[in-house]
Every structure is written in structure tokens, then in C-alpha cells.
Amino acid sequence: MTATDSILSLYGEDISVGTAAGKGFISCLDADNAQIHRQPLAAGVKNGSGYRLITNMDNIAEGVQVTAAGRIYEVLRIEPVRIFGKLSHNECILRLKGESVDV
């Protein structure tokens, strides 16, 4: 077990990628205006906010849906992080899905 595996298993939040369960950290990349992230958007309007996911799950891929704390995200990009040549974890860029309302 690597140090990353230990940290994620102890402190990571529960996430699911497809049907697989795992642990990870999700944070907002542009948290300067918190009110924007709380507003439901009109149908057809895309939330442009980006989110970062740090996880050691190997089944993660671009376009896959990630569920955490009742919110659904879509994986836009994955960057594997290697330490001494061995895969440590994946850092992913996510986009929030859903949460639209009729206006």
C-alpha cells in the first residue's frame, strides 16, 4: 500500500465511478464566487465550473460519470501522477452534470 492509498482510505470521501466504489477528494477549481455554484441553472445552460478529483481508482476514464455526495460529475480529463516511475494517483478535471430547473 502506497502513501497515497493510505491517505485516500483514511481521509477520502466516498465516490463511485460507474458501478465501482472508491475514495477520492473533490474540490472546486474556481471557488472565488461561491454563489454561482449554488444556483440551479435554466435548462440548456451549462455550468462552466471546473472541479478536481484526486483518486487512485484505475477504472476512471474520460467521459465516465463520477458520483460523490449525491452530485454527478463527468470526467473531462485525466492526468496520471507518477512517483519514482510508479503510478501514485490520477488527477481529473470534472464538470458538474444536471441540476437544471425550468425558468
Side-chain angles (χ1 to χ4, degrees):
M1 180 179 271
T2 66
T4 305
D5 295 334
S6 299
I7 292 168
L8 285 168
S9 65
L10 287 173
Y11 303 108
E13 58 185 295
D14 293 327
I15 63 170
S16 63
V17 177
T19 58
K23 298 277 190 169
F25 297 108
I26 293 183
S27 62
C28 187
L29 291 175
D30 49 350
D32 55 344
N33 189 351
Q35 291 296 21
I36 292 173
H37 306 294
R38 293 190 183 103
Q39 294 175 354
L41 302 171
V45 176
K46 184 175 109 176
N47 184 345
S49 301
Y51 296 85
R52 175 185 14 234
L53 167 66
I54 297 174
T55 185
N56 59 350
M57 297 179 71
D58 6 352
N59 65 335
I60 198 152
E62 290 181 7
V64 171
Q65 289 189 356
V66 174
T67 305
R71 299 181 92 183
I72 300 172
Y73 303 87
E74 180 182 4
V75 178
L76 299 177
R77 194 174 98 199
I78 303 169
E79 285 294 326
V81 177
R82 300 184 183 282
I83 298 176
F84 301 118
K86 185 177 176 188
L87 180 67
S88 171
H89 62 278
N90 292 308
E91 292 187 7
C92 309
I93 302 298
L94 308 176
R95 167 178 77 86
L96 188 61
K97 291 191 63 134
E99 295 190 8
S100 61
V101 296
D102 292 331
V103 179

